[in-house]
Amino acid sequence: MAGIFYGIGVGPGDPELLTLKAINAIKTADVIIAPRTEKKDESTAMSIARPYIQERSEILELVFPMNYNAQALSDAWVNNKKTILELLDAGKKVAFLTLGDPMLYSTYMYVHRLLEDSGHEIINIPGVNSFSAIGNRLGMALAEGGDILSIVPATIDDERLERVLAVSDNVVLMKVYKNFTEIVEKLNKHGMVENAVMVSKCGLEGEEIIHDLEANGSKKVNYLSTILTKRSKVSKHALA
Amino acid sequence: MAGIFYGIGVGPGDPELLTLKAINAIKTADVIIAPRTEKKDESTAMSIARPYIQERSEILELVFPMNYNAQALSDAWVNNKKTILELLDAGKKVAFLTLGDPMLYSTYMYVHRLLEDSGHEIINIPGVNSFSAIGNRLGMALAEGGDILSIVPATIDDERLERVLAVSDNVVLMKVYKNFTEIVEKLNKHGMVENAVMVSKCGLEGEEIIHDLEANGSKKVNYLSTILTKRSKVSKHALA
């Protein structure tokens, strides 16, 4: 029997930011898969989607280890694949929930690859990206006219970070909690610190919006923090 | 009286890809503003949102000229601002529809700036970006792990295009219809032509997906075309 596998973007956090397509797929699913890490009690994607999950749907929390020893990782993934294929072979509609959008920095892509040759139909449903939610929250354009917008994990090496800051008009920096002080220094050098805004836990409890990054000093930065910035028209860099 | 102004992203084209928040705002709006150009009969954003517009809502099609002589442009914008402020001053809920997301390459940002000091509440509602819809349609990741993703209007100058292709792992190229042949040449040079896919009219009637860009030759490219690509692991460039 042919099942259907849905990869569903649940968006950045607010349950009202799911698309109607995502909501409909969740409502018709026989099984809802919520990926989680070993560390957390409940899947974040699951708590966002909860208002739409029907009583009759089975909820399956699967752990997809990403930072673990190779053998454990491999065993867990093989078992997860087997579990999902058994459900699909039984003709079930299986919905896999993912934060934001399924195609952007998501574990879902690995699951997609495990299943794409299985013969079952796969339907991917896009979601609102967290940086879009932040831009809309602040009323700050992500890009206009002929602007280049780059989405950059702040964990890349220094030389690449400098090159991408130099060529972009607008930058979204993800995962900035690890090396925040260095990031601010680099933004300053490239005329991008004046317009920078950092948002932590956007739309969630404990949301913080920080406009003056240089004043933040060495205060600890939350894990769910993103910086949006654009080049200043007259930057310190240009004046130097 | 205080009105509320909603800037609403209606997403890439499929009416099911509006968020629940966008749908609710459209349903409660007293007035729906659909921006259009002089050239087209109906606003595209309006036709996407149509299933959710209530009978009691007034529909207002306003022309916001973008490529016009300065005086006509300025007059039209001044009049549009006046029209919107009168509605808000009368306490109306006014919804402004915009394709994709309000913060990304959108006319809406100019309207936002006209109104941000008006004293009326402005609520921006994010939408699914067209490149996310394309990635999900193809099952093609936009970025993974430590990848840099750059969103690039293909109309930028050659030198910047080369620099951004050189530093990015993944690229979304918008507005590729103007200089398609040159774009393909540049992608080839940077090891990004093998994995490139061009999608025209994603999710709309007449959708086309083209995997071999070099074979497309000098065939005319549709206005609504976007290229998604990522660097090849072993590129012609790297081998040269």
Side-chain angles (χ1 to χ4, degrees), chain B residues 6 10 44 54 68 100 113 115 118 126 147 151 171 186 189 240:
Chain B
Y6 296 94
V10 302
T44 313
Q54 306 296 298
Y68 213 59
R113 284 191 198 111
L115 301 173
S118 68
D147 286 353
I151 322 291
V171 176
K186 293 268 190 299
K189 182 171 165 190

Side-chain angles (χ1 to χ4, degrees), chain B residues 100-122:
Chain B
D101 178 77
M103 296 297 135
L104 199 70
Y105 303 116
S106 160
T107 308
Y108 172 71
M109 277 316 295
Y110 301 93
V111 181
H112 188 275
R113 284 191 198 111
L114 287 181
L115 301 173
E116 64 187 345
D117 297 323
S118 68
H120 294 286
E121 187 180 3
I122 300 181

Side-chain angles (χ1 to χ4, degrees), chain A residues 7 12 14-24 52 101-106 108-110 112-113 116 123-129 131-133 135-153 155-156 159-161 163-164 166-169 175 230, chain B residues 7 12 14-24 52 101-106 108-110 112-113 116 123-129 131-133 135-153 155-156 159-161 163-164 166-169 175 230:
Chain A
D14 180 344
E16 289 217 325
L17 288 182
L18 268 82
T19 66
L20 191 59
K21 197 168 213 139
I23 292 171
N24 289 340
Y52 311 112
D101 178 76
M103 298 296 134
L104 200 70
Y105 302 116
S106 159
Y108 172 72
M109 276 317 294
Y110 301 93
H112 188 275
R113 282 190 199 111
E116 61 188 348
I123 297 174
N124 306 309
I125 302 178
V128 169
N129 291 306
F131 58 81
S132 297
N136 279 276
R137 174 84 179 72
L138 300 171
M140 178 174 172
L142 293 164
E144 295 183 78
D147 286 354
I148 296 176
L149 166 66
S150 296
I151 322 292
V152 180
T155 46
I156 59 169
E159 184 262 337
R160 291 190 76 206
L161 182 57
R163 279 168 63 205
V164 75
V167 75
S168 308
D169 302 289
K175 306 179 194 165
K230 57 187 67 194
Chain B
D14 180 344
E16 288 216 327
L17 289 181
L18 268 83
T19 66
L20 191 60
K21 196 168 214 141
I23 293 170
N24 289 340
Y52 312 112
D101 178 77
M103 296 297 135
L104 199 70
Y105 303 116
S106 160
Y108 172 71
M109 277 316 295
Y110 301 93
H112 188 275
R113 284 191 198 111
E116 64 187 345
I123 298 174
N124 306 308
I125 301 178
V128 169
N129 291 305
F131 58 80
S132 297
N136 280 275
R137 175 81 179 72
L138 301 171
M140 178 174 171
L142 293 165
E144 295 182 78
D147 286 353
I148 296 177
L149 166 66
S150 295
I151 322 291
V152 180
T155 46
I156 60 169
E159 184 262 336
R160 290 190 76 206
L161 182 56
R163 279 167 63 205
V164 74
V167 76
S168 308
D169 302 289
K175 305 182 194 164
K230 57 186 68 191

